[in-house]
């Protein structure tokens, strides 16, 4: 919502043109794309680590817990 408010605020600038809004919107899209890429990377890693877990292992030998604890 803050991002939308930032775009709408451009309307207060009497010198602003549609192209200015387009540039800012494109910048917001790039930021969103970067966040999505990071979330997809995190998801992939979590899926990989979760798949390495075996239900009969103790937590001390669990790859997911080791990674969450900072040992990966």
């Amino acid at each position: 919502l803050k991002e939308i408010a930032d775009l709408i605020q451009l309307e207060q600038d009497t010198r602003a043109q549609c192209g200015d809004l387009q540039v800012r919107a494109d910048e917001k899209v790039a930021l969103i794309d970067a966040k999505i890429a990071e979330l997809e990377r995190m998801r992939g890693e979590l899926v990989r680590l979760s798949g390495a877990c075996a239900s009969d292992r103790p937590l001390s030998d669990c790859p997911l817990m080791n990674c969450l604890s900072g040992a990966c």
Side-chain angles (χ1 to χ4, degrees):
L1 294 175
K2 181 187 178 316
E3 287 80 8
I4 299 299
D6 290 344
L7 294 175
I8 292 172
Q9 188 175 24
L10 189 60
E11 187 176 31
Q12 304 303 317
D13 184 350
T14 58
R15 297 169 294 143
Q17 297 180 343
C18 189
D20 299 323
L21 182 59
Q22 182 181 13
V23 167
R24 287 191 186 183
D26 290 345
E27 290 170 351
K28 298 294 182 187
V29 168
L31 289 173
I32 290 168
D33 288 344
K35 287 179 183 180
I36 289 171
E38 177 63 13
L39 287 171
E40 288 176 340
R41 185 198 63 76
M42 290 169 49
R43 181 188 183 283
E45 187 64 15
L46 187 55
V47 166
R48 184 187 70 76
L49 288 168
S50 178
C53 289
S55 60
D56 59 345
R57 270 188 190 165
L59 278 180
S60 61
D61 192 30
C62 176
L64 178 54
M65 181 56 76
N66 290 337
C67 191
L68 293 174
S69 300
C72 66

